[in-house]
Amino acid sequence: MSDLEKLRACCRAVVQRQQNNATLDFPCVICQQVIRGQHGSMEHYRVNHGICTSHFDDVADLNGFLSHLRSLLLPAGDTKFHCPVCGVSCDGEASLVAHAGQLGHTFWDARAIPTLAPFCITAVSSGNDELQHEEDDEVTGKVIDQAFYDEDEDEDEEWEEEPAMCLLCDTTSHNCLLHMKEAHSFDFVAAVQQHEGVNDVYDVIRIVNIIRGCVADGTCPHHYGEDSPEAESCRHVIASSSLLSHLRYEPLHALPRAIPTGDKELIPRLVGDTFISSIVVGGNIKFGETKCQTGGDEGEDYPMVPTMMELAAKRLAKGGA
């Protein structure tokens, strides 16, 4: 197989992984937390551990890449972490992160760790001893474009819309709103439009994240953030039956009674939550006398959920004021 054919095969693998990104889980090689989606995984390394890995779009065999990193971190028969850059033994996760930060061993890519190179997409050799980066980049770009084109030709159809996960159960569906009506008698759009506290799409995002959090915790969304006799009563009812059973008898309890106005509830509880995307981009939810047409004309403002880094910076700014 020629270098160009190898590069084409690598690009096809990356394209295929991008198409399946919403359903792929990646365990962190350091803490073993499972993260949904490759972009969420890269962000996890950066935010939680201060580590910058190779961009996953530059890695052809991502499973092999991560497995090799894990084997460098925890060599066979050794219970201590080792820096994958220099091999120094560290007592634990915190010690490893501190070591990497102090010595600048925070870039875990093929340049810092040459043994990762076989798993990455490499430039096509020009046949000369000197690397001609501009020509290689041009060739690589053309091959990637061709890989996308070939993938479309093979599929011979448009990419399907990603399914969303139900707010009340683990079911995924391309029509999650209809599923919730039929399976749980929960008309999300109607409930949101009737809620007096909903003023804009940000409130809708907060509601989605609150419901997901309460379902995960087995608590009543209606009393989110409350410590009241009514909230305690709901806790007893749910403990004696289930949250779904409780919501069937108390349908108004599917939404929080009061909607917070802070940033905390804007952070998605489910990484890559396609339900939020479908509501924001394709939903028609009335706010008072207006109608939110978030899938409208070009140039329209789209609400952006702040990232964890932006929220952290905001809190630091407030603390320093």
Side-chain angles (χ1 to χ4, degrees), residues 1-56:
M1 182 182 293
S2 68
D3 288 343
L4 188 60
E5 290 173 337
K6 290 179 181 178
L7 180 58
R8 192 187 302 277
C10 290
C11 292
R12 283 178 179 271
V14 172
V15 171
Q16 183 66 38
R17 193 170 64 238
Q18 288 176 341
Q19 291 179 337
N20 298 327
N21 183 59
T23 60
L24 296 178
D25 292 329
F26 300 98
C28 173
V29 298
I30 300 174
C31 66
Q32 293 294 282
Q33 179 180 344
V34 177
I35 310 297
R36 173 62 57 87
Q38 61 180 24
H39 296 294
S41 181
M42 289 187 292
E43 186 73 0
H44 169 82
Y45 284 108
R46 185 175 66 84
V47 174
N48 293 72
H49 305 299
I51 298 298
C52 294
T53 66
S54 296
H55 195 290
F56 287 177

Side-chain angles (χ1 to χ4, degrees), residues 19 148 151-162 174:
Q19 291 179 337
F148 274 102
E151 195 69 27
D152 289 340
E153 287 291 309
D154 293 339
E155 294 292 336
D156 197 25
E157 60 183 12
E158 295 182 358
W159 290 3
E160 294 184 358
E161 181 183 355
E162 295 180 2
H174 288 286

Side-chain angles (χ1 to χ4, degrees), residues 44-120:
H44 169 82
Y45 284 108
R46 185 175 66 84
V47 174
N48 293 72
H49 305 299
I51 298 298
C52 294
T53 66
S54 296
H55 195 290
F56 287 177
D57 284 350
D58 295 331
V59 180
D61 181 4
L62 187 53
N63 289 332
F65 179 92
L66 295 175
S67 296
H68 183 64
L69 260 182
R70 180 69 178 175
S71 69
L72 294 176
L73 285 168
L74 285 171
D78 200 331
T79 58
K80 288 188 175 182
F81 278 103
H82 289 70
C83 174
V85 177
C86 66
V88 167
S89 176
C90 302
D91 290 333
E93 178 184 323
S95 176
L96 171 68
V97 172
H99 162 82
Q102 290 170 359
L103 297 186
H105 293 175
T106 55
F107 292 91
W108 294 1
D109 52 25
R111 291 184 180 180
I113 309 172
T115 54
L116 291 174
F119 306 100
C120 301

Side-chain angles (χ1 to χ4, degrees), residues 86 100 106 149 194 199 202 209 250 264 270 291 314 316:
C86 66
T106 55
Y149 175 78
Q194 294 169 8
N199 298 309
Y202 293 103
N209 291 322
E250 297 285 354
K264 175 184 175 183
L270 180 66
K291 193 172 187 179
K314 183 177 179 180
L316 286 174

